[in-house]
Amino acid sequence: MIIDAKAIIVTLVIVAVAFYGGLQFVRAFALSIAQENHDVNMAIDQAEEDKRQKQERNADVAAASAFAKVEPLLQVPSAPKSGEAVASPEVV
């Protein structure tokens, strides 16, 4: 085999094209992994958000139930409004 400039240039072009194709393949593979990872992270975040909202709803229901039990004990007679006449003892 004769090694001349033409053979070296052709070899370099073939290696460069193969290297570029390999990089594109690796890039596409890495992108697909990143997208799958992103989808999984979004699903995990959504599940955590759903769990948090459920706990918040349960806490609201528990607080409302507890307040409903105590509310009758908290009834305070209201003060007369400023426009209403107040009954005062008459002085003789």
Side-chain angles (χ1 to χ4, degrees):
M1 176 171 166
I2 300 174
I3 300 176
D4 57 351
K6 182 180 176 184
I8 292 175
I9 291 172
V10 169
T11 303
L12 288 177
V13 168
I14 292 171
V15 168
V17 168
F19 186 70
Y20 181 77
L23 285 178
Q24 291 300 318
F25 175 76
V26 169
R27 181 175 175 255
F29 183 67
L31 179 64
S32 69
I33 290 174
Q35 288 172 337
E36 289 175 8
N37 190 28
H38 176 70
D39 292 342
V40 169
N41 286 338
M42 292 297 290
I44 290 171
D45 290 345
Q46 186 62 42
E48 289 174 354
E49 180 67 17
D50 292 344
K51 182 179 177 183
R52 185 193 63 78
Q53 287 178 348
K54 182 179 178 184
Q55 287 176 341
E56 187 175 324
R57 282 192 305 270
N58 290 341
D60 288 344
V61 168
S65 174
F67 184 72
K69 291 177 183 176
V70 189
E71 186 176 16
L73 303 173
L74 299 176
Q75 297 298 331
V76 178
S78 61
K81 297 181 181 176
S82 61
E84 296 179 4
V86 178
S88 60
E90 296 182 18
V91 179
V92 181

